[in-house]
Amino acid sequence: FCVLVAFIISIVAQSLVNSRVSKYSNVPSSINMTGRELAQKIAEENFMGLSIKHCKGNLTDHYNPKDKSLNLSDVSYNSNSIAGQAIALHELGHAMQDEESYFPYKVRQAVVKISGFSSKYVLFPVYTDSASGTTTTVPSGTSAVTTTFSRV
């Protein structure tokens, strides 16, 4: 049950993020800078040794603590929209948390590592109905939910 609730919450949250980004990616900011330029300016003002890179995809933006890089997708790298700047600064916030060894960020990173390991190496049965022969699982190495049908 908890897995289902978490799944529903994550779907709702993702659709809200997508809808807000869609809405505000067409609204220019009063600060005439791209998300990349604004993040670079703030990083330099705070003496952060941070590289800012472009990454492909939509909403694939992320901070990589291993190489201290901010990776920004099209909407935040090249755009001066409110959404682009907000996304870039959100990711910059992760870099600042990392630099300051902010405890909740360290906990988050540990959870990400554990969940990455478990989704790659562990097979979690979510629901099994032996009467109908329906089994729903999260397959090893993926985050997709699949349903298989077989007679027992």
Side-chain angles (χ1 to χ4, degrees):
F1 175 75
C2 291
V3 172
L4 179 62
V5 170
F7 180 72
I8 291 169
I9 289 171
S10 69
I11 294 295
V12 169
Q14 188 62 43
S15 80
L16 286 173
V17 167
N18 285 335
S19 119
R20 297 304 188 275
V21 168
S22 178
K23 178 178 180 180
Y24 291 103
S25 63
N26 297 317
V27 179
S29 168
S30 60
I31 302 169
N32 195 23
M33 301 173 88
T34 65
R36 179 194 57 80
E37 293 166 338
L38 186 57
Q40 184 69 49
K41 181 179 190 275
I42 293 172
E44 288 171 359
E45 288 173 356
N46 288 281
F47 306 104
M48 298 174 71
L50 186 68
S51 66
I52 301 180
K53 302 175 183 177
H54 182 259
C55 63
K56 294 182 187 228
N58 183 32
L59 296 178
T60 53
D61 311 79
H62 62 282
Y63 167 67
N64 184 342
K66 290 180 183 174
D67 67 359
K68 309 293 184 200
S69 68
L70 215 57
N71 299 273
L72 304 175
S73 64
D74 292 335
V75 73
S76 49
Y77 191 86
N78 293 317
S79 171
N80 72 336
S81 70
I82 292 173
Q85 290 176 353
I87 292 167
L89 295 181
H90 170 87
E91 297 306 330
L92 182 62
H94 290 304
M96 290 176 162
Q97 291 171 336
D98 182 35
E99 188 169 289
E100 295 174 7
S101 295
Y102 183 59
F103 181 71
Y105 176 77
K106 296 296 180 188
V107 170
R108 176 188 179 272
Q109 288 303 101
V111 169
V112 166
K113 285 180 184 174
I114 291 167
S115 66
F117 172 82
S118 64
S119 71
K120 192 172 186 177
Y121 297 107
V122 180
L123 180 64
F124 291 105
V126 175
Y127 174 77
T128 302
D129 180 2
S130 58
S132 68
T134 304
T135 304
T136 305
T137 59
V138 177
S140 178
T142 70
S143 60
V145 175
T146 50
T147 304
T148 57
F149 300 94
S150 61
R151 286 285 168 207
V152 179

